[in-house]
Amino acid sequence: MKILILHGPNLNLLGTREPEVYGSLTLENINEKLIALGKELNAEIKCLQSNHEGALIDALHDARTWAHGVVFNPGGYTHTSVALRDAISAIQIPVIEVHLSNVYAREEFRHVSLVSAVCKGKVTGFGWRSYELGLRGLIDIIPT
Ligand code: DQA
């Protein structure tokens, strides 16, 4: 089984970016944990981060050709991007939306997600463990 872990804008700064909101692990730390979990669960994990909407769309299109599913933190684009939503609904493989912070406990503009309705599920508020929970859930729902 092959899974793409996709990180959106500003997540490259994890570790130093508002650690009280997003935790102290770096993106590399999180990716290492997910790759290790993937090994345990017999899944091959590829991790990718981009600050660019178009590059995220390209990564989703590309995932259609090789991945069984995607764990995706769209960052700030969650709340703004019709184009990412369209890409998710176009690729027809399960996508799990994840957020480190509890977006519902934050500013009102973060309560709106343009992507939730086209994702298979969503995990928010568990810090880096949102990715872990999302990955476990995704692997569980993909038929083998
Ligand atoms: C985030 C929440 C978003 O509102 C924010 O723009 C991010 C990170 C999270 O993981 O909690 O960049 O997706």
Side-chain angles (χ1 to χ4, degrees):
M1 187 181 298
K2 293 183 177 162
I3 306 288
L4 173 65
I5 309 283
L6 189 57
H7 309 278
N10 301 306
L11 295 166
N12 54 311
L13 299 182
L14 284 179
T16 54
R17 176 192 181 200
E18 300 176 78
E20 65 291 351
V21 178
Y22 297 116
S24 55
L25 293 190
T26 64
L27 193 65
E28 208 185 319
N29 296 152
I30 295 174
N31 287 340
E32 281 165 7
K33 284 178 183 293
L34 298 173
I35 290 165
L37 178 64
K39 280 203 181 111
E40 239 175 70
L41 301 176
N42 277 324
E44 199 181 304
I45 307 293
K46 183 176 159 189
C47 302
L48 205 145
Q49 188 274 334
S50 178
N51 292 322
H52 305 280
E53 193 175 17
L56 295 166
I57 291 168
D58 288 343
L60 288 166
H61 291 180
D62 185 53
R64 185 186 46 162
T65 67
W66 64 269
H68 297 93
V70 183
V71 175
F72 186 21
N73 184 349
Y77 287 138
T78 306
H79 320 295
T80 63
S81 180
V82 173
L84 276 175
R85 178 202 175 103
D86 288 348
I88 293 167
S89 67
I91 61 173
Q92 303 217 318
I93 55 173
V95 177
I96 309 295
E97 176 187 355
V98 301
H99 302 283
L100 296 140
S101 62
N102 177 358
V103 286
Y104 299 105
R106 301 182 64 198
E107 302 95 326
E108 219 161 275
F109 67 85
R110 295 185 206 276
H111 301 183
V112 175
S113 167
L114 297 192
V115 303
S116 294
V118 291
C119 287
K120 192 79 186 167
K122 168 168 175 162
V123 187
T124 185
F126 292 89
W128 72 269
R129 288 196 187 277
S130 293
Y131 286 94
E132 180 191 341
L133 295 167
L135 179 58
R136 284 185 187 277
L138 176 61
I139 289 173
D140 275 357
I141 60 167
I142 292 171
T144 45

